[in-house]
Amino acid sequence: MKKSFALILFSTQIIFAQNISQKLDEVTKNLMNSSLAVSSNLSFYVADESGNLIYEFQGSKGLSTASTQKIFTAAAALETLGKNYTYKTTSAYSGTISNGNLNGNLLITSNGDPTLGSWRYEGYKPENFKQKLLEAIKKSGITKISGDLIIDDSYFDHQTIPGGWPWDDLGNYYGAGVWGVNWRENQFDININGTDFKNFSYPLAGIKWLNDLKAGGSSDQSLIFTAPYSDVALINGSLPAGKVTTVSGAVPNPPLQLGVEIQNWLKDSGIDFSGKVLTNSRLEIEGKKALDFPKSNIILSYDSPTLDKIVYWFLRKSVNMYGENFIKTLAKEKKGNSSFKSGVVYLREFWKGKGINTSMINFADGSGLSPQNYVSAKAEVQALLYAKKQSWFESYYDGFPTQDNGMKMKSGTMRDTKSYAGYHTSKEGKKYVYSIIINNYEGSGSTELQKILNVLK
């Protein structure tokens, strides 16, 4: 009797899977046979929660992913670094303190904390770091600084932007780079009325602007261009006339920005400071020797939120800078240097070790912003299935946004690319893991891909 029941159940599951597969095949082929898909490429893969294939259409074909690339980076970071991993920002002084006078420099360094000064974490906002730093300075007995304020940004190498990122992206908030010392997620906001700058979210240090904006249209069609370490920013394109629009950009020198803000904090708190604000990268640009961070005279050790909380926002709000920070951190921890190249090599090796064919995972960065990423839908499903079996999965899964259709999935969008990857339990209780990537579709492809995903519901 038990054998008969098991056989009936198994047969029912096969019939159900075949029925779903037929429906998926029908809607997929309708999409690819449409006039808008004449030059398109699609990679689609669906498995059940045990990894059994339900349906695929060119599942092994590598395509540009956009932000679903983040599922690989987040999982590798959680497993390699651990969900309780924290970044650290440290302050120390050189020289001696006599009668409240620091005869030496005040220094700040970090191992690349991407959350320093972020607005996303309660208890870790700019004002929290400001309070902790000023309290540490006063507790050490410093009332006057005779030397300079040095921001030691040397933990990572000098390349702050992955190779392959489009120039149009670099100056905008989603194209913010990664430094050894980051601040406010390396992002600023400008309120602009038509073409006139009204105000900034905070004063930018030493930036000169070229404004080629035009007023017109009904939406934000502007672009900001900034380059790492530069003091010139350009904005062009168009913004709606007669109303204020908020445009977000990438800070070209976050360590310097932090230093200038600390200089103001010192002044406002009554600590006498007449020296210069310097960064180690600036000293090197000027042909001078970078200053070593003191091993003693530590006055502040400031930890970031734990990695699981950072991964949550990385996936939930698709923060590209976090992904590239993870790549540099993995490179530093596992390869002994912080280059993007080393980090991407490690990421590929990590997933090769989990059984994914390396021909299906040609990574170019950690966030998906580079159009040079080529990944297959099958590889994304394999990564999601691997994550599902790990002790850190809850932290990973929690970061996946719940879409309007009720599906728990990461989406990706950029020019000529739309992608979805995630987990779903259908109305019948069937659990699916899926990935779908389309390139070069005329239009966004969102509506068409949604028709496919509706079959899983």
Side-chain angles (χ1 to χ4, degrees), residues 162-328:
W165 276 18
W167 172 237
D168 280 5
D169 292 337
L170 299 194
N172 299 285
Y173 74 95
Y174 53 85
V178 178
W179 274 258
V181 176
N182 303 292
W183 180 241
R184 299 181 185 264
E185 295 191 5
N186 305 340
Q187 174 181 329
F188 65 89
D189 303 327
I190 322 174
N191 291 318
I192 306 174
N193 189 345
T195 63
D196 297 326
F197 288 15
K198 302 301 290 182
N199 52 63
F200 288 77
S201 51
Y202 55 88
L204 280 179
I207 302 300
K208 297 180 283 288
W209 282 88
L210 292 170
N211 185 347
D212 288 342
L213 278 172
K214 298 187 185 320
S218 58
S219 63
D220 179 358
Q221 297 297 318
S222 66
L223 284 175
I224 296 174
F225 297 86
T226 63
Y229 308 107
S230 174
D231 60 359
V232 177
L234 163 69
I235 185 168
N236 64 16
S238 64
L239 290 172
K243 72 172 188 177
V244 175
T245 304
T246 301
V247 179
S248 299
V251 179
N253 197 333
L256 177 63
Q257 178 66 39
L258 173 60
V260 171
E261 291 192 35
I262 292 175
Q263 180 183 33
N264 292 330
W265 300 346
L266 295 172
K267 179 182 177 181
D268 293 343
S269 64
I271 298 171
D272 187 9
F273 173 71
S274 55
K276 292 181 286 188
V277 175
L278 301 170
T279 67
N280 266 341
S281 56
R282 172 52 60 183
L283 289 171
E284 292 181 77
I285 290 170
E286 294 174 352
K288 301 173 183 176
K289 187 179 183 300
L291 299 179
D292 293 331
F293 192 82
K295 294 181 179 179
S296 58
N297 299 330
I298 306 296
I299 63 170
L300 175 66
S301 185
Y302 183 86
D303 288 342
S304 73
T306 53
L307 188 72
D308 55 350
K309 294 180 175 62
I310 303 174
V311 165
Y312 172 87
W313 287 112
F314 174 50
L315 294 173
R316 184 60 61 98
K317 290 298 183 181
S318 215
V319 186
N320 292 332
M321 188 269 272
Y322 285 8
E324 306 318 324
N325 183 278
F326 292 155
I327 287 293
K328 280 191 170 288

Side-chain angles (χ1 to χ4, degrees), residues 47 92 107 115 167 176 239 254-255 268 282 284 338 342 354 441:
L107 299 96
T115 70
W167 172 237
L239 290 172
D268 293 343
R282 172 52 60 183
E284 292 181 77
S338 60
S342 293
K354 310 308 176 189
Y441 185 84

Side-chain angles (χ1 to χ4, degrees), residues 55-73:
Y55 178 76
E56 71 170 316
F57 182 91
Q58 300 185 131
S60 297
K61 180 179 281 293
L63 297 178
S64 182
T65 60
S67 280
T68 54
Q69 162 75 8
K70 291 180 172 69
I71 67 175
F72 295 99
T73 309

Side-chain angles (χ1 to χ4, degrees), residues 18-221:
Q18 288 174 337
N19 186 37
I20 290 294
S21 179
Q22 289 169 356
K23 290 180 179 180
L24 288 172
D25 192 54
E26 180 181 351
V27 292
T28 299
K29 289 180 176 175
N30 284 343
L31 166 63
M32 296 309 291
N33 289 332
S34 71
S35 60
L36 296 178
V38 65
S39 298
S40 297
N41 265 320
L42 177 72
S43 185
F44 183 27
Y45 198 93
V46 184
D48 65 19
E49 63 178 334
S50 298
N52 300 308
L53 175 66
I54 299 295
Y55 178 76
E56 71 170 316
F57 182 91
Q58 300 185 131
S60 297
K61 180 179 281 293
L63 297 178
S64 182
T65 60
S67 280
T68 54
Q69 162 75 8
K70 291 180 172 69
I71 67 175
F72 295 99
T73 309
L78 281 168
E79 178 151 321
T80 304
L81 303 173
K83 69 178 185 178
N84 293 318
Y85 179 91
T86 56
Y87 292 88
K88 191 179 295 292
T89 299
T90 308
S91 180
Y93 64 86
S94 62
T96 59
I97 301 171
S98 176
N99 297 321
N101 180 30
L102 170 58
N103 294 295
N105 301 321
L106 180 67
L107 299 96
I108 311 286
T109 194
S110 178
N111 62 344
D113 181 4
T115 70
L116 187 65
S118 172
W119 61 94
R120 301 184 198 274
Y121 308 87
E122 198 60 42
Y124 295 89
K125 297 180 181 181
E127 56 269 26
N128 298 116
F129 179 69
K130 172 184 176 181
Q131 179 185 356
K132 294 287 187 184
L133 179 61
L134 291 176
E135 285 176 354
I137 293 171
K138 291 177 179 178
K139 187 176 180 181
S140 67
I142 297 172
T143 58
K144 179 180 180 181
I145 301 172
S146 296
D148 297 323
L149 172 60
I150 312 293
I151 308 299
D152 174 18
D153 53 352
S154 60
Y155 185 77
F156 291 150
D157 64 2
H158 295 116
Q159 185 181 348
T160 66
I161 303 290
W165 276 18
W167 172 237
D168 280 5
D169 292 337
L170 299 194
N172 299 285
Y173 74 95
Y174 53 85
V178 178
W179 274 258
V181 176
N182 303 292
W183 180 241
R184 299 181 185 264
E185 295 191 5
N186 305 340
Q187 174 181 329
F188 65 89
D189 303 327
I190 322 174
N191 291 318
I192 306 174
N193 189 345
T195 63
D196 297 326
F197 288 15
K198 302 301 290 182
N199 52 63
F200 288 77
S201 51
Y202 55 88
L204 280 179
I207 302 300
K208 297 180 283 288
W209 282 88
L210 292 170
N211 185 347
D212 288 342
L213 278 172
K214 298 187 185 320
S218 58
S219 63
D220 179 358
Q221 297 297 318

Side-chain angles (χ1 to χ4, degrees), residues 372-427:
Q372 295 177 8
N373 289 295
Y374 289 96
V375 172
S376 74
K378 181 178 180 180
E380 292 200 332
V381 168
Q382 289 176 316
L384 293 171
L385 286 167
Y386 175 79
K388 200 170 188 299
K389 300 173 184 176
Q390 308 312 310
S391 60
W392 41 261
F393 176 68
E394 185 177 347
S395 299
Y396 183 71
Y397 182 77
D398 194 36
F400 279 68
T402 302
Q403 306 293 336
D404 293 340
N405 59 15
M407 289 181 155
K408 193 80 167 171
M409 68 182 182
K410 186 78 191 77
S411 63
T413 304
M414 64 184 185
R415 183 177 179 181
D416 299 327
T417 295
K418 188 71 183 178
S419 60
Y420 299 116
Y423 306 90
H424 181 61
T425 302
S426 71
K427 291 182 291 186

